[in-house]
């Protein structure tokens, strides 16, 4: 049987090149090799402060970005999490076997609350809902950025706990993290991950940024005072981050980029990085403009119905296993 992949994205706006290079680019590639399911995880987006009207807009915009990047509804299933009640139901079942100690270790919860997010129960139990998202569809592989490794470990642990207690229901999924650019760093602080919620817009390049904005962001990226372009994440984290981004966008190995740009100063190198990012994003930006919101809604409606049918079949197996078989 064909292996299945599942992955999700929060419709929280500000989709950036980290999301693209770390995850979405693989989503597009892998849809030819795997049975692919991609989900706009709107229930997750409610775990931090949000505006309902804005959420409505960003759900459509996120789907539009994914379609523009090449997620193809004829080859993949694309839908929103709230269309499929099985996500929340399975999350509840899994939560009954999640030790608090496991959740207490989660770095994302610690980082988000330290940055000012309210420490609500939904944010705390985010990894349980994420495990449910993946296990609901019996996924074998989860294409994500490096920041999600810890959550995939929790998913594997919960799948094993469930299988040991109730029988072999879930495959044990694996993370699929790209070799390069799995953790794109902030342009204003190369020690922190590029992030949608960073209050500084200068910290990221958005997929929908105009070319002149992209160039400005990259030119102002924090680097260091020694003008040699060299890959050294400890001594030159800013330049190393730009090298990773450029390598991911051009396909050229980092060594050959270093040979080409070692001398000549940071200005020339940063301009070349900007050219590479602009060229990489241009086709998707054109397709984004051409997509109609109505068509995107149709894709999501259809995807949600199919995902719900599949989830219902799978959930009846879970209900039977845990003693909740339908009468
Ligand atoms: N900086 C990054 N580098 C590589 N991959 C990244 N991802 C996120 N940031 C980077 C990957 O993008 C996918 C979708 O992300 P998400 O929307 O589910 O996660 P997120 O945590 O909301 O994204 P951000 O930008 O990190 O936002 P905040 O500021 O809310 O924390 C995931 O596969 C993720 O690994």
């Amino acid at each position: 049987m064909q292996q299945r992949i599942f992955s999700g994205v929060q419709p929280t706006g500000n989709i950036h090149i980290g999301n693209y290079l770390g995850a979405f680019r693989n989503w597009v590639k892998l849809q030819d090799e795997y049975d692919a399911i991609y989900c706009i995880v709107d229930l997750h987006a409610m775990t931090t402060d949000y505006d309902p009207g804005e959420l409505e807009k960003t759900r459509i915009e996120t789907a539009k970005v994914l379609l523009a990047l090449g997620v193809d509804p004829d080859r993949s299933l694309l839908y929103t999490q709230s269309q499929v009640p099985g996500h929340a139901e399975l999350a509840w079942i899994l939560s009954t076997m999640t030790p608090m100690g496991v959740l207490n270790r989660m770095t994302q919860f610690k980082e988000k609350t330290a940055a000012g997010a309210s420490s609500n129960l939904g944010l705390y139990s985010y990894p349980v809902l994420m495990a449910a998202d993946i296990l609901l569809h019996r996924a074998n592989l989860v294409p994500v950025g490096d920041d999600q490794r810890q959550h995939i470990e929790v998913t594997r642990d919960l799948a094993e706990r469930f299988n040991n207690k109730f029988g072999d229901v879930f495959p044990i999924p694996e993370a699929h993290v790209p070799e390069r650019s799995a953790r794109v760093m902030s342009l204003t602080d190369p020690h922190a991950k590029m992030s949608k919620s960073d209050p500084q817009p200068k910290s990221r390049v958005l997929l929908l940024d105009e070319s002149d904005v992209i160039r400005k962001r990259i030119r102002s990226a924090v680097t260091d005072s020694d003008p040699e372009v060299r890959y050294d994440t400890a001594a030159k984290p800013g330049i190393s981050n730009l090298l990773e981004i450029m390598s991911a966008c051009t396909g050229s190995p980092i060594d050959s980029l270093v040979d080409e740009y070692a001398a000549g100063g940071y200005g020339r190198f940063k301009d070349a990085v900007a050219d590479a990012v602009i060229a990489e994003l241009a086709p998707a930006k054109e397709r984004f403009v051409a997509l109609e919101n109505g068509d995107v809604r149709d894709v999501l409606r259809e995807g949600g119905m199919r995902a719900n049918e599949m989830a219902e079949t799978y959930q009846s197996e879970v209900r039977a296993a845990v003693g909740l078989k339908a009468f």
Side-chain angles (χ1 to χ4, degrees):
M1 205 173 87
Q2 199 181 22
Q3 295 257 303
R4 174 164 291 164
I5 54 173
F6 174 92
S7 197
V9 51
Q10 295 194 71
T12 38
N14 288 342
I15 298 176
H16 52 72
I17 48 165
N19 300 129
Y20 169 62
L21 297 175
F24 305 156
R25 203 155 72 145
N26 264 341
W27 292 18
V28 175
K29 271 192 210 141
L30 295 170
Q31 66 188 343
D32 287 325
E33 280 168 62
Y34 292 88
D35 176 15
I37 304 182
Y38 301 127
C39 185
I40 295 168
V41 290
D42 45 7
L43 300 180
H44 284 285
M46 297 168 72
T47 57
T48 47
D49 194 28
Y50 76 100
D51 172 322
E54 205 44 40
L55 180 58
E56 194 51 54
K57 274 205 323 237
T58 47
R59 292 192 317 164
I60 300 295
E61 187 190 84
T62 306
K64 219 168 165 179
V65 167
L66 292 173
L67 294 169
L69 287 172
V71 169
D72 176 358
D74 290 332
R75 290 180 287 164
S76 307
L77 189 57
L78 178 67
Y79 71 102
T80 57
Q81 190 183 26
S82 59
Q83 291 173 284
V84 178
H87 286 273
E89 184 193 25
L90 183 56
W92 178 258
I93 292 169
L94 294 176
S95 77
T96 64
M97 53 187 68
T98 309
M100 305 270 287
V102 167
L103 296 182
N104 288 340
R105 285 199 293 275
M106 294 296 108
T107 50
Q108 182 174 289
F109 178 77
K110 288 182 198 160
E111 282 167 9
K112 291 212 163 167
T113 48
S118 83
S119 57
N120 64 70
L121 183 57
L123 186 61
Y124 181 65
S125 63
Y126 186 113
V128 184
L129 180 57
M130 180 166 159
D133 300 337
I134 295 163
L135 300 178
L136 179 70
H137 289 293
R138 311 297 192 261
N140 309 98
L141 208 64
V142 190
V144 282
D146 182 68
D147 59 318
Q148 293 299 327
R149 279 187 198 274
Q150 196 181 33
H151 291 165
I152 305 296
E153 278 311 309
V154 173
T155 305
R156 291 167 58 84
D157 177 52
L158 289 177
E160 275 163 11
R161 281 173 199 268
F162 186 101
N163 288 352
N164 288 339
K165 190 160 177 191
F166 299 114
D168 236 357
V169 171
F170 298 123
I172 310 299
E174 284 188 26
H176 183 294
V177 175
E179 255 175 56
R180 284 259 167 243
S181 68
R183 181 177 284 263
V184 175
M185 307 308 275
S186 155
L187 299 180
T188 47
D189 173 5
H191 296 288
K193 171 183 96 101
M194 186 178 286
S195 157
K196 293 177 190 154
S197 57
D198 190 316
Q200 289 199 68
K202 278 168 68 180
S203 66
R204 56 188 166 250
V205 167
L206 301 184
L207 293 198
L208 300 176
D209 272 341
E210 295 296 337
S211 302
D212 57 330
V213 176
I214 297 178
R215 192 171 300 282
K216 221 162 63 193
R217 297 279 187 259
I218 290 176
R219 275 190 181 152
S220 67
V222 169
T223 48
D224 53 77
S225 52
D226 151 37
E228 188 193 355
V229 172
R230 172 162 56 84
Y231 189 80
D232 179 341
T233 51
K236 300 172 91 66
I239 287 295
S240 303
N241 188 37
L242 293 178
L243 278 167
E244 291 230 15
I245 292 172
M246 187 167 181
S247 169
C249 288
T250 58
S252 304
I254 288 193
D255 285 352
S256 40
L257 294 176
V258 168
D259 286 346
E260 198 174 341
Y261 294 100
Y266 284 177
R268 175 174 162 255
F269 171 60
K270 283 178 166 178
D271 264 337
V273 177
D275 289 341
V277 173
I278 291 166
E280 175 71 7
L281 300 182
K285 268 170 29 192
E286 251 176 57
R287 285 195 293 266
F288 180 89
V289 175
L291 278 163
E292 298 287 345
N293 285 358
D295 295 338
V296 176
R297 284 201 170 84
D298 289 345
V299 167
L300 293 176
R301 193 174 307 113
E302 168 71 19
M305 281 187 308
R306 278 175 49 211
N308 205 25
E309 273 168 30
M310 289 165 57
E312 261 309 300
T313 310
Y314 284 136
Q315 272 303 89
S316 54
E317 190 189 359
V318 168
R319 286 179 207 122
V322 300
L324 300 174
K325 198 168 175 175
F327 295 113

